[in-house]
Every structure is written in C-alpha cells, then in structure tokens.
Amino acid sequence: MSVYNFAAGPAMLPTSVINQIKGDLPSFNDSGMSVMEISHRSDLFENIIDEAKTNLRALLNLSDDYEILFLQGGATTQFTTIPLNIAKTKHIGLVDTGHWAVRAQEEAQKVGITVDTIASSKDNQYHNIPKIEQPQQSLDYIHLTTNNTIEGTAYKQLPDLKHLVLDVSSNFLAQEYQFNNTDVIYGGAQKNLGIAGLTIVIIRKDLITETNLPSMWNYQILAKKNSMLNTPPVFAIYVADLVLKWLKDLGGVPEIEKRNRQKSGLVYDFLDNSKLFNNPVEKTSRSLTNLVFSTGDPELDAKFIAQAKENNLVNLKGHRLVGGMRASLYNAMPYDGAKTLVDFLEKFEKENRRIR
C-alpha cells in the first residue's frame, strides 16, 4: 500500500534514504554498532558531521565566510538565540508574513529586543508577500521567513536588503536563493532535510563574537566545538547527511526546484480551474512546498479530508488557525503523489460540486 504523506512536518523521507537507514541500523560501516549507538566523539561520527557540512556548503554554494552549526531546540529556539548573539544594539526589523514571523517577533521581544515591523501582509489576511522598502533607521538585522507554512506564501527571490536573517524552515533546499546579503540562515530539518531533532544555523563568521551567554546559546563556543559541546542529535545528523547526498545525486537545488515547480504547478493548475476548491494566495506569492485550499464549507472540507485518508492521501488537514486543507509537497514527495492528489481532487469535485 502506497501512502502519500502531505504533512507539514515531520515529513516524508526519500525512499532510498529510508532503505539506506534500514541497511545501516544493525552495523554502521561494519562497526558492529548501530548508528544510534556510536559515540559522537568517534571518528565514525566525526566523518558524518564533517561530510554533512561539506555537502550542505556545496549545495548552497556557501563560501568559507559562513559557519555551519548543527544544533538542537528547533527553529523556535533560534528566535531568541540569534538576537542574543548578534543584535548588538537590541534593535531589529521584521517582515510580518504570518504566524511564524509573529512568533519570531514575540520571542525576540521577550529577551529585550526592540522589533520594528517594516512590512506586513496582515491586512490582506497574509495572502501575499508584502512589498518591502529599505528601512531608514539603523537596524542590527532584518528577520524574514522565506516560506510561510500555514499561509501558503513564499518569496520567489530574496529582497535586495542588507543584513537579512532568514528562517528557511519549510523551503530549505527546495528552491534557489542568492544569499549574498544574508547574515544568518536557519531552520528545522524535519521538512526537507531529514527528521525532527536537528536545527541548522548558518552564520557569517564575522558575526560570531565573544559573549557572556550560557554555553548552549553561545555561537562562539558551539562553533569551536564543531556543534558538539554536548551530545548532538547524532541520528538526525546522520539522516541529514544521507538526504544531502541524495539531493546532490539528483542534481542539487536547481533540479529539485524544477521538480517542485512541476508538482506544485500540477496542483495549482487544478485549483485555478476548479469550481469547488479555492486557493486564496496571490499567484505571485504562492509557495512551492505548502499549498493551501478549501471548499469554503467546513463540513465539506472535513468530508474531503476523511475520504482522502481512506484513499491513502494523509495529513491534508489545514492548520487550525486557517482551516481548510494543506498539501505539503516537500522535496521527498514524488510527482506521483501530486498526480494522485489531483486525481482524487477531480473525483471529489465531480461527486460533491452540486452540494456546495
């Protein structure tokens, strides 16, 4: 039975990666130990984490000006850790594109950071990406969420602003961005890069300075220890390395973006011509990875979700803040998953359009 998992996260893994994990579990690299048992101080794991950093640097075309950290605590922890480390004047800017941007603002304010909202699409119910003007005041950085998982919006390209801090949690490695003006890139791994428990932080090395922060929040200490001040999420880093190698073998980020556009384009084309389903997002702001839609009738939406599950299309329920449905088409979702979803959407519409 083939089940297509459209969850917003944790999400699907590539089939080949799952098979590799199964093969490695009894004895990793003929060590006689599972990868879940090996010491993080061993050469076995040192090779894994170093290879993961090398592969990630290559996929993102990152220069040596950036440090890569493999951390715990999720992207939410970074809402406070980043400003504590690099907001020297305690004054930042933020682009309000929805729930996770607001959460980043709230968490930064809890540690004494002044946050200026420099642009917002709240008045349009977050159905678009707002236009951003260069701030006149001096700010430590500008926080921006590249893809909005709940609202279904995303940046096609980054704005021409300096000192960007990017939350890339839900479209990391799913589409190409130019990171020239970026200070920090961060996100959880459980959508496009692996499993829950790992957070990626990529930071310009000149921003890593001495602070009096506790060690687990201190980028300088964490960088010096190669992300291993304490026991890191060994298994999650191992899985991330396998996913990075899988992505390199496919052709890298340009190739996966091409595939993601094919998948999302198939679903959006159906929604644009549907008489039953609606996608509220402005076309120029649509996400490649998180597609939101509804019938406008909560009871009919619930019927769709239930029947979809019966047809092995699972986790299509929208976030509780917006309702409706959401199909997350992350990197590991095959084209056949999107095609099967569209086939079911068509069938459901034929059977239910008269009810609306």
Side-chain angles (χ1 to χ4, degrees):
M1 179 181 69
S2 295
V3 171
Y4 292 113
N5 176 15
F6 295 93
M12 292 182 66
L13 288 172
T15 301
S16 61
V17 168
I18 292 176
N19 290 335
Q20 181 69 50
I21 294 169
K22 287 166 65 177
D24 286 343
L25 278 180
S27 177
F28 178 68
N29 277 7
D30 297 321
S31 65
M33 296 176 289
S34 162
V35 72
M36 293 183 287
E37 300 171 291
I38 62 174
S39 169
H40 66 289
R41 304 296 184 193
S42 67
D43 290 341
L44 284 170
F45 183 69
E46 288 267 6
N47 292 337
I48 290 172
I49 195 169
D50 290 343
E51 183 179 64
K53 289 172 72 171
T54 299
N55 288 332
L56 182 55
R57 194 178 297 277
L59 283 166
L60 293 178
N61 296 313
L62 287 177
S63 71
D64 288 336
D65 296 332
Y66 287 91
E67 180 70 46
I68 298 174
L69 302 174
F70 293 98
L71 306 177
Q72 302 172 66
T76 303
T77 299
Q78 298 307 315
F79 293 161
T80 50
T81 309
I82 291 170
L84 285 172
N85 276 270
I86 70 171
K88 302 306 180 185
T89 71
K90 299 185 182 298
H91 190 185
I92 69 172
L94 179 136
V95 181
D96 174 19
T97 50
H99 175 76
W100 289 111
V102 173
R103 285 289 305 279
Q105 179 181 27
E106 292 171 347
E107 294 301 306
Q109 289 172 331
K110 289 177 182 178
V111 291
I113 305 297
T114 298
V115 184
D116 290 351
T117 300
I118 65 170
S120 176
S121 52
K122 182 177 181 180
D123 289 345
N124 192 30
Q125 297 179 291
Y126 298 119
H127 291 332
N128 68 297
I129 293 296
K131 183 179 179 181
I132 308 170
E133 302 291 343
Q134 180 69 47
Q136 299 300 310
Q137 71 272 40
S138 177
L139 301 169
D140 291 316
Y141 63 81
I142 296 172
H143 184 280
L144 185 148
T145 307
T146 57
N147 184 87
N148 299 282
T149 323
I150 296 172
E151 296 81 10
T153 62
Y155 285 86
K156 285 187 167 50
Q157 56 187 354
L158 298 177
D160 185 20
L161 299 171
K162 294 181 179 179
H163 303 300
L164 288 172
V165 167
L166 305 176
D167 178 354
V168 298
S169 292
S170 51
N171 68 341
F172 190 42
L173 298 168
Q175 65 189 95
E176 285 191 283
Y177 287 127
Q178 298 299 318
F179 296 119
N180 301 340
N181 295 327
T182 303
D183 286 356
V184 180
I185 306 158
Y186 74 99
Q190 66 272 16
K191 301 174 189 292
N192 282 307
L193 187 53
I195 62 174
L198 172 65
T199 306
I200 305 296
V201 175
I202 301 168
I203 180 171
R204 272 193 10 235
K205 290 179 179 177
D206 63 306
L207 294 173
I208 302 175
T209 58
E210 186 172 352
T211 72
N212 291 321
L213 290 171
S215 298
M216 290 304 294
W217 294 347
N218 191 314
Y219 288 155
Q220 185 183 64
I221 294 174
L222 292 166
K224 284 182 178 179
K225 293 293 185 177
N226 195 23
S227 303
M228 292 187 284
L229 175 63
N230 68 338
T231 306
V234 172
F235 189 69
I237 295 171
Y238 153 78
V239 175
D241 184 40
L242 293 182
V243 174
L244 291 168
K245 286 188 282 190
W246 168 80
L247 185 53
K248 283 182 69 177
D249 289 343
L250 281 184
V253 180
E255 175 60 25
I256 204 67
E257 178 177 342
K258 177 183 174 182
R259 297 185 183 200
N260 288 339
R261 291 196 180 280
Q262 290 172 340
K263 292 182 296 188
S264 63
L266 182 69
V267 180
Y268 281 132
D269 284 346
F270 169 82
L271 294 174
D272 287 343
N273 292 286
S274 174
K275 303 298 183 184
L276 180 64
F277 297 97
N278 174 61
N279 171 271
V281 179
E282 292 184 7
K283 289 185 177 182
T284 57
S285 297
R286 284 175 169 175
S287 169
L288 294 183
T289 53
N290 304 100
L291 288 62
V292 296
F293 58 98
S294 72
T295 65
D297 180 344
E299 291 186 3
L300 196 55
D301 287 350
K303 180 180 179 181
F304 172 84
I305 293 163
Q307 290 188 1
K309 184 177 181 180
E310 292 172 359
N311 285 268
N312 300 323
L313 303 170
V314 300
N315 293 317
L316 281 164
K317 186 177 181 179
H319 193 276
R320 64 185 181 279
L321 293 177
V322 296
M325 283 76 73
R326 171 175 56 184
S328 295
L329 306 179
Y330 296 126
N331 288 353
M333 174 64 70
Y335 182 84
D336 283 349
K339 179 65 168 60
T340 302
L341 174 60
V342 168
D343 289 344
F344 180 73
L345 284 163
E346 290 177 343
K347 179 176 181 292
F348 187 88
E349 177 161 344
K350 288 178 182 177
E351 295 173 352
N352 293 276
R353 191 169 64 184
R354 65 184 180 276
I355 297 175
R356 185 174 178 181

